[in-house]
Amino acid sequence: MKNGWTNFVIGTVRIRIVGKGIERFLNNCVRQQIMISNVHKVDGQLATRTILLKDVKKIRILIRNADCKIYFIRRRGFPFLTKRVIKNSGFRLGFLSFFIILGFVSNMVWKVEISGAEPQTEHQMTKQLAKIGVKRGEFQFLLESPEKIQRYLTDNMNNITWVGVEVRGTSYHFQVVEKNEPKPQQKTPYQHLIAKKKAIITNLFVEKGQPLVKVNDFVNEGEVLVSGIIGNEKNKKVVAAKGKVYGETWYKSEVEVPLKTDFQVLTGNGYTKHYLDFQAFKMPLWAFNKEKYTSKVTEKVEHPLYFFKWKLPLSYEKVAVREEQNSQRVYSKQEAVEKALEIGRKKLLSTLGEDAKIKGEKVLHQEQDNGKVRLSIHYQVIENIANTQPIIQGD
């Protein structure tokens, strides 16, 4: 027992032996290879010594056949220290709290790094990320997945082409590719205004230039509406024609609307479950209700958990369950026609300029076939038909 550190780890027990058969008992211990140290014989019937904790069971067996008694007077070593610590409720609570806090800290966002972006773009992206909670001090398992964060940034920032999102432990790294917008071509200072399509002129607002058409004139595509050359033969001046020329144009649209439509709608009922996923099994943390829906939509979001920079073999999983039901929409023939006209108007206006408006519409053809109503619609539209054309030297 010369190695004190080894004995401390294993544990030692100080014993006292009282009786007439001490020598015989010690000889039996030697035969059983029980290591004994620090032997102190007080008198013929009393002795103290130290044994290893692992030999206590052997000692208990040997003492039964010996003409002596044994008393345990002192316990030392790591096993006894651990036992005393475990019995201390304050230590247990502190030990558990330490690992819980350490686990939470290891799964918080401590760094958000953006590379490849100009300072202005980086500032804008930081503000967008803060709106969805991607900032220092937020818990990672409460944030959206990297794919959803990437989609959000792409949809809400017009000055980036692509952004990569990578989670490294407690850090979020963003690699940005900005849009390289071509420099706008310098417009020639001199230009005409020409018609971009066939139309009947309904109104003119000319700021600069010489109008060559008037209200109710019919113009063809490419015809000059406002000339950039003003003055007479003796005193000509070239300017950049500017203004708006409104004309009545014509469009034709084909629209189809089914009389019956089946689709799924969410009822508004649902619940969210939270799990700790240990790979082999899942332990529910919250929402233990087992409400069953005939039809449902399930969305899962999984966040791996970390201990400092090391990824743990468990993760936090949030499962959102939403009830849905079948619904059927039925139109009468007249309702289907009205819906088709509404769809046709919205579709047409989405392709026109901001100041365009529909003057009139007429159904050219209507038919009902295979549970659908089909319309062929003619539209009269008032819109700005002016387009620019540079004035080339020599014109």
Side-chain angles (χ1 to χ4, degrees), residues 82-149:
T82 304
K83 190 174 182 179
R84 287 197 296 270
V85 166
I86 291 175
K87 286 183 178 181
N88 189 322
S89 60
F91 180 84
R92 292 200 306 269
L93 182 60
F95 189 77
L96 180 62
S97 300
F98 169 76
F99 277 98
I100 291 176
I101 293 172
L102 193 61
F104 276 113
V105 169
S106 299
N107 289 277
M108 293 177 71
V109 178
W110 290 109
K111 186 177 181 182
V112 178
E113 186 179 84
I114 301 173
S115 58
E118 296 292 333
Q120 183 178 356
T121 304
E122 183 176 341
H123 176 69
Q124 182 184 352
M125 181 176 290
T126 302
K127 291 174 64 177
Q128 291 292 339
L129 290 171
K131 289 181 180 179
I132 57 175
V134 183
K135 56 185 179 181
R136 288 187 64 183
E138 291 291 332
F139 290 111
Q140 293 185 28
F141 50 79
L142 298 179
L143 302 179
E144 297 289 354
S145 63
E147 293 76 17
K148 288 188 177 181
I149 295 174

Side-chain angles (χ1 to χ4, degrees), residues 200-204 214-216 246-248 359 382-383:
I200 295 177
I201 306 300
T202 59
N203 216 337
L204 296 91
K214 57 184 182 296
V215 176
N216 295 327
Y246 291 94
E248 179 182 321
K359 178 183 178 182
I382 304 299
E383 61 177 318

